[in-house]
């Protein structure tokens, strides 16, 4: 019995563990990028590529009561975004975690998180445009 357990470990389990260890960085979320969105200023355009399991995250600070406007474009609308506050709560107007466009109220002062994602395994190029105004 011991020999068959050793055989199972060496033939299947160890290679599987090694595969997971080396594949993990490809699916790891990148560290957040801090951006500066000026209330009433020009729109900020962010471009990149996103694949499933590798959300692209942007962090920005805003005062309470401002309005956030965001729009994402990508091939065949395969990328989307979500906006959450410091407590992880979505904007009150946000109905989905995969928005193509969103206008919402920033209820509290502090940091907000924009997470760009896709369900596709291949990297999807996107262009995210964000504005904040009173």
């Amino acid at each position: 019995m011991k020999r068959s357990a050793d055989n199972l470990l060496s033939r299947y389990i160890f290679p599987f563990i090694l595969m997971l260890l080396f594949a993990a960085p490809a699916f790891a979320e990148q560290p957040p990028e801090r951006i500066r969105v000026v209330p009433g200023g020009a729109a900020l355009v962010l471009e990149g590529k996103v694949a499933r399991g590798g959300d692209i995250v942007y962090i920005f600070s805003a005062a309470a009561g401002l309005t956030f406007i965001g729009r994402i474009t990508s091939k065949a609308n395969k990328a989307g975004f979500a906006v959450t506050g410091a407590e992880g709560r979505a904007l009150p107007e946000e109905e989905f975690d995969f928005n193509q466009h969103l206008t919402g109220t920033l209820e509290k002062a502090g940091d907000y998180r924009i997470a760009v994602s896709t369900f596709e395994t291949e990297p999807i190029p996107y262009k995210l445009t964000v504005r904040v105004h009173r």
Side-chain angles (χ1 to χ4, degrees):
M1 182 69 180
K2 179 168 176 13
R3 186 171 191 178
S4 108
D6 288 343
N7 192 23
L8 179 67
L9 282 172
S10 65
R11 288 192 69 188
Y12 300 104
I13 296 176
F14 287 141
F16 181 72
I17 290 171
L18 287 174
M19 183 185 73
L20 286 178
L21 288 174
F22 287 108
F27 298 107
E29 191 173 282
Q30 296 180 10
E33 179 182 340
R34 183 159 288 275
I35 59 173
R36 185 166 182 255
V37 184
V38 178
L44 183 60
V45 178
L46 306 160
E47 296 183 69
K49 290 183 180 182
V50 63
R52 183 174 61 210
D55 292 359
I56 306 296
V57 177
Y58 301 99
I59 306 287
F60 70 95
S61 294
L66 296 176
T67 299
F68 170 89
I69 301 170
R71 176 184 278 320
I72 194 167
T73 55
S74 63
K75 184 177 179 181
N77 295 323
K78 300 272 184 174
F81 70 96
V83 180
T84 54
E87 298 148 356
R89 291 184 44 201
L91 303 185
E93 299 84 357
E94 191 167 9
E95 295 182 33
F96 309 104
D97 288 340
F98 196 81
N99 300 289
Q100 300 296 310
H101 52 85
L102 173 67
T103 300
T105 306
L106 306 174
E107 295 183 306
K108 295 184 178 184
D111 282 348
Y112 285 84
R113 178 181 192 266
I114 305 170
V116 177
S117 62
T118 186
F119 297 108
E120 302 298 314
T121 54
E122 293 297 318
I124 300 295
Y126 68 87
K127 182 187 291 188
L128 175 65
T129 305
V130 298
R131 294 187 69 202
V132 173
H133 67 85
R134 298 196 188 285

